[in-house]
Amino acid sequence: MVEMFKELSPVYQALLATLFTWGMTALGGSLVFFFVKINRKLMDGMLGFAAGVMIAASYWSLLAPAIEMAENNGDTPAWIPAVVGFLAGGVFLWGIDKVLPHLHLGFPKSEAEGIKTSWQRSILLVLAITLHNIPEGLAVGVAFGAVAYGLPSADLAGAVALAIGIGIQNFPEGTAVSVPLRREGLSKFKCFWYGQLSGIVEPIAAIIGVLAVLAMRPLLPYALAFAAGAMIYVVVEELIPESQLEKNTDIATIGTMLGFAVMMALDVALG
């Protein structure tokens, strides 16, 4: 897989990688054709797993390379790009969270966040997942953009590992959208359609990310840390609280540990 990517431009690399992650979202969404309901303990474990993958990816694939690049540049203290980018990513997601109407899994419509709207509950649920697919797409795009500069701290195998890890955790996210929508009364096809649609933002965000770092190399450490901050914001604000909602804390925690271990192993083995 890595060899196949070497002949492509970073833009096509990022696009193909996020088409894979989008496909994994669709695959998870397809479970609605077989199940009307997913066991809540299993769902909490999968949400925890997704959180673990994102936490590990934030450090191993994004923050660590950002710090190493800043150290090699030597223009500013290495911690500045990492801290500034990380906090900026969190602020960016916080701003979108306050504006974009959305509803987290398991909450009544009265607790929808963002600008008040009369949109259906089903649309609000889809937008909640779409919201945290934005930093995932950005992370992949920035990672492949970094590879283009031939820096020791950013290699193709590591970017591919990041895409694989995000793809794996997108599977339960697709399920988390489509199956609850079935209980809202939507047809199986509509549930699947909305489930996969929540992942379409990833290729878009990836292209934006890769083009941004290709255009401005000095921003690269900041961009990597930005993607990490945005992902950590999603984990703390959404994934972990949702996985703990039904008090299945041990299962959710074990899922998080497993997700972190899988992503860490992928990054170390491939990167």
Side-chain angles (χ1 to χ4, degrees):
M1 182 177 180
V2 175
E3 292 298 324
M4 178 188 72
F5 271 45
K6 285 184 178 179
E7 305 301 320
L8 301 174
S9 73
V11 174
Y12 282 114
Q13 289 172 349
L15 177 60
L16 287 176
T18 45
L19 286 177
F20 162 73
T21 62
W22 180 15
M24 290 297 290
T25 304
L27 190 61
S30 69
L31 292 186
V32 75
F33 291 112
F34 308 99
F35 303 99
V36 177
K37 184 178 180 180
I38 296 291
N39 181 277
R40 183 66 207 199
K41 290 183 178 180
L42 176 61
M43 179 62 70
D44 289 343
M46 291 194 299
L47 288 172
F49 182 89
V53 169
M54 292 179 72
I55 293 170
S58 295
Y59 176 73
W60 294 99
S61 299
L62 299 169
L63 277 176
I67 294 170
E68 188 175 344
M69 288 175 193
E71 288 176 343
N72 292 334
N73 289 340
D75 297 331
T76 58
W79 60 268
I80 291 180
V83 171
V84 171
F86 184 82
L87 294 178
V91 170
F92 173 73
L93 256 291
W94 176 83
I96 294 181
D97 189 65
K98 297 302 179 185
V99 174
L100 182 69
H102 63 284
L103 177 65
H104 295 305
L105 183 67
F107 288 87
K109 187 178 178 181
S110 60
E111 295 190 28
E113 299 178 18
I115 296 174
K116 299 301 178 183
T117 177
S118 59
W119 292 351
Q120 295 179 343
R121 175 183 169 89
S122 58
I123 300 298
L124 295 174
L125 287 170
V126 174
L127 288 175
I129 299 295
T130 303
L131 176 63
H132 69 69
N133 281 338
I134 294 174
E136 294 171 10
L138 280 173
V140 174
V142 169
F144 279 101
V147 173
Y149 291 115
L151 301 171
S153 53
D155 58 21
L156 186 57
V160 170
L162 174 62
I164 293 173
I166 288 179
I168 291 172
Q169 63 94 37
N170 272 3
F171 182 88
E173 289 182 358
T175 305
V177 176
S178 62
V179 173
L181 291 182
R182 182 62 177 158
R183 298 199 299 273
E184 298 289 326
L186 277 68
S187 68
K188 290 183 177 180
F189 178 78
K190 280 189 175 181
C191 293
F192 167 74
W193 176 255
Y194 285 132
Q196 65 81 32
L197 195 62
S198 67
I200 196 173
V201 71
E202 289 193 4
I204 298 171
I207 297 302
I208 294 172
V210 69
L211 290 175
V213 298
L214 288 177
M216 302 177 68
R217 176 172 175 169
L219 288 180
L220 188 50
Y222 294 90
L224 288 165
F226 180 95
M231 290 214 295
I232 292 297
Y233 183 92
V234 167
V235 169
V236 177
E237 199 271 340
E238 181 176 344
L239 291 179
I240 289 179
E242 287 180 13
S243 70
Q244 306 279 334
L245 198 59
E246 297 295 322
K247 308 302 181 182
N248 298 315
T249 54
D250 289 343
I251 294 173
T253 302
I254 291 170
T256 303
M257 297 290 289
L258 288 174
F260 189 98
V262 168
M263 185 64 232
M264 180 171 60
L266 276 173
D267 195 273
V268 174
L270 295 181

